Amino acid sequence: MFGISPLGWIHTIGSLPAIPAAACMILRHGRITPRNWLGKVYFLSMLLGATTVFLVAHQPISYGIGTATIVLLLAGYGVAALPLPRSLTIYPETILLSVTAFLLMVPTVSEILRRVPDGHPLVTDLKSPVLLGAQGFLLAALIVGVTAQIIHLRRRPPVGA
């Protein structure tokens, strides 16, 4: 179905929980919060998706996205361990984890547009205006979202999330 291999389904289904986990945390806390149960779901799903992409990817850019996702995910979850005040680590943590969500959504949207509906996808060319528009929207959402998150963090009293 949709031309996805069994390993591709493991990759897809394994990384899928990261999307609602991120959305829920952003709606509840204004950002991805790594130190709660949703943060753990996000981390494990992202790590599974980013590592299995090396086994299922067909585009060279996928390896770069997978590598960047792993590096940024580990940095985002590890920055709080630095011997710095929380008020200094919360900003890079928020930005890094927001970028990982963006790196998840770019190939997700691309794959959906290139596979759905089954047999007659909405997009057949990587340079399609629909695909490029969707990717542009995601980039704009990242810029606006990170800006809003930083403003939200600056306005609230400094507390750990």
Side-chain angles (χ1 to χ4, degrees), residues 34-106:
R35 285 164 295 285
N36 59 35
W37 73 273
L38 279 173
K40 290 175 177 72
V41 168
Y42 183 79
F43 179 81
L44 293 173
S45 295
M46 287 296 290
L47 193 58
L48 178 63
T51 54
T52 57
V53 77
F54 297 99
L55 304 173
V56 298
H58 299 293
Q59 302 290 331
I61 188 71
S62 301
Y63 303 118
I65 291 173
T67 301
T69 300
I70 292 168
V71 168
L72 295 172
L73 185 68
L74 294 174
Y77 275 76
V79 71
L82 294 174
L84 296 170
R86 182 78 183 124
S87 61
L88 294 180
T89 61
I90 198 166
Y91 294 101
E93 176 183 274
T94 299
I95 294 166
L96 291 165
L97 296 178
S98 294
V99 174
T100 65
F102 170 76
L103 292 176
L104 170 64
M105 294 310 298
V106 168

Side-chain angles (χ1 to χ4, degrees), residues 94-155:
T94 299
I95 294 166
L96 291 165
L97 296 178
S98 294
V99 174
T100 65
F102 170 76
L103 292 176
L104 170 64
M105 294 310 298
V106 168
T108 298
V109 168
S110 176
E111 288 298 310
I112 289 170
L113 291 174
R114 294 175 58 220
R115 294 181 187 270
V116 176
D118 196 14
H120 301 289
L122 297 169
V123 170
T124 56
D125 180 11
L126 291 175
K127 298 202 184 294
S128 163
V130 172
L131 180 58
L132 295 176
Q135 292 171 340
F137 173 80
L138 290 172
L139 179 60
L142 173 68
I143 294 166
V144 170
V146 167
T147 302
Q149 289 173 331
I150 298 302
I151 290 169
H152 173 73
L153 288 173
R154 291 185 60 103
R155 288 187 176 166

Side-chain angles (χ1 to χ4, degrees), residues 22-41:
C24 196
M25 287 184 285
I26 290 169
L27 289 173
R28 279 188 192 165
H29 308 289
R31 64 190 201 88
I32 297 171
T33 52
R35 285 164 295 285
N36 59 35
W37 73 273
L38 279 173
K40 290 175 177 72
V41 168

